[in-house]
Structure formats: C-alpha cells, structure tokens
Amino acid sequence: VRLEKTSILIALTAKGEIVYGGREIGLSGVQPLVKRMLQKEDVPVIIQADAAAPAGLLVRVIDEAKLGGAQKVSIASKNSKV
C-alpha cells in the first residue's frame, strides 16, 4: 500500500519547511492543495512532522488542512538525523 495514493502526505521539516511531493509549498499552499486533492477523492491528510519541527507551525498546518476540507488529519512523527 502506497501512502501517496491513499492519503495526502505533507512533510514538516525541522527547519519549518512544509513539503508536498518533494517541493516546498509553504503554509499558504496547504489549504489549496488539500482542497484540490479532496475534489478527486476523499482521503485523509497525514502530516509527517520532524520531532524538531516547531509545534506552533504544526498546529497551523493542521488548521490549514481542516480549512481545506480535510475530515481526518493524522500526525506521523520522525526523529531528526543527528
């Protein structure tokens, strides 16, 4: 099962970058992306957040995804490589 096909996978890096499909979309790109993707198919949003990512930014990404129409937003965390 490939997550890219069954969900909208957004990454949040330790530096605070918001990435989708290998390119940085920024906070302002989250809502339009989610809205566009949900028009095709109702899929959950998964935010893969680095453990060192700013918590306040993570909350804002969740809010933007919900404003884009996401019914289900999940968070997957990963540790920074030291």
Side-chain angles (χ1 to χ4, degrees):
V1 177
R2 296 197 55 200
L3 282 177
E4 295 85 26
K5 301 295 180 194
T6 59
S7 65
I8 302 168
L9 186 61
I10 299 171
L12 178 57
T13 71
K15 295 178 186 171
E17 300 163 323
I18 300 165
V19 180
Y20 174 79
R23 69 182 216 285
E24 189 172 357
I25 61 170
L27 187 62
S28 63
V30 174
Q31 186 177 336
L33 166 75
V34 171
K35 196 174 285 187
R36 186 176 75 245
M37 298 296 284
L38 289 177
Q39 285 175 347
K40 298 177 192 168
E41 188 179 357
D42 188 18
V43 293
V45 174
I46 299 174
I47 301 167
Q48 185 176 19
D50 191 286
L57 185 58
L58 174 59
V59 171
R60 292 175 66 192
V61 172
I62 294 168
D63 288 344
E64 286 295 311
K66 290 196 176 240
L67 287 170
Q71 298 294 313
K72 184 175 180 191
V73 179
S74 300
I75 300 166
S77 142
K78 63 184 180 104
N79 291 328
S80 296
K81 292 185 175 104
V82 179

